[in-house]
Amino acid sequence: MKKNLTLILAVAFISVLFVMVQTSSAQDTDILDVEPGFETLNLAIQGDTTATGEPANYNRIYRLERGEFYLLNGTIQGLQDVPLRIIATEGDGPKPVIVPAVSESGSAGNAFRPNGDVDVSNLYVTGIDNLGNVAGKNMFRCDGDSAIIKIDNCFLDHEEQAFIRMNSNDQQLYLTNSTLRNTIRLAKTSNGRFIDTRGNTQESIFIQNCTMYIASHTPIRGDHGIIRNITMDHNTFYEIRGRFEIERMINGTITNNIFADYDYEGNDCDPANPNADSLTQSDLLKIEALESDLATDEERHIRVANNVYGWSPEIQEMFNRIDSVKATPVHNLTTLTFFDTYPNMICENSIEEYPTFSDAPDPAVVKTYAEYRITSGYSDESNPDPRADRNGIGALSENPTSFGLADDEFDFDYNTDAAAYTAAEGGFPAGDLNWFPDKKAEWEAWIQSGVANKSNLPREFALMNNYPNPFNPSTTIAYQLKSNLNVKLNVYNALGQHIRTLVNDVKQQSRTT
């Protein structure tokens, strides 16, 4: 009975998370247009108060002009207890460019340090300051227990430590339709991550239809912390070093992704016994014992399916030639034992392939970087620079076009005759579907229709993303149950206030909408 109760709560709470962040009261929002220029965004937010110092509007949205520059004079923190919401004007023009500016102290800080909820969309944020140097680390350093972090359709570029630092407990991250690239610190390659949970117990991480490339260390660092719910679906990971530290997840869904040139430095290898398997060698997607009061290993639900893994000929040649390293397995023997032992841990339908991307960064560049570090004893000095940026890196005053996206930006669509093109669930392309707009539209309709998994009874608990999103006035929320259970589905607004209970009843094993 205890086991069933735990699972009921897990399903119900996942449902709450998704609905809570997607539901808003459009009629209560108030948009404040911010002029481009130096310090304008700082002043707009800091000065947005009443005569007594209270926030002028708890539903404020700051809107930036497309194609314009916003130079930050210090880190944006937001107002106390008010969600920080920043969007771009409507249209198809270039995203607003947010640039940290060097202060009188001679340095530029990180762009954002919200102390609560944050919701940003359609922005380009760079970690290069206006003088062409790397600004302060942790582009989004997110404080506040239980904060909700939403980043959609953004391009985050250049970071020395982690683009998103989940700096407090029980936070929820929703990262969608975005690109993150160049997280690397040449002089200290133990840094260079996309997401860092700081070892905290985190409520949820949801990453869907994103492209992330060029990372020098641990794309997601869990630092042995617990992640209650993590979903990584339809993402393209390219030229990442290290493994995903999500081994202590409770509920995990890792599906339909591409991992290309992953862990490009490989595992240390004994040349005398290069084919030896190891229980403890690094693996890309590791599972280890939970050892927590939050759940037992039997109560965990993990599914790794329909992913594509592979290396370019350049990286594969390096692995074959240098006898002190070997390619990193997706799962080592310890992880595979978990899949063999627990029926709620599933690994299926993944393939090995390196699809031919139409215009990805040259793999020979990261090979040069990796081989130098391997053969020079992993020195942190004089490393070749593997960062990819077609606009280059320069001072804003000397070359404004070095900031923002190039007209000929990198492209990660790939050949349609690749096995990856139909490897995802439903026969869709694996990886970020934004590179295949027509297929993405079909996939959204497929999710909405409920065709997915309809022919078979579910083998696990799951909640699908609501559709449409954003929505007005209605949306569809689909979930599936592996057994008959009581389901409670609550709706909260962005301030955490309870709006309505949609479901509070026993539901049969099925896909329910």
Side-chain angles (χ1 to χ4, degrees), residues 22-36:
Q22 304 296 352
T23 303
S24 61
S25 300
Q27 67 271 20
D28 295 331
T29 59
D30 186 5
I31 294 177
L32 179 64
D33 288 307
V34 181
E35 293 292 326

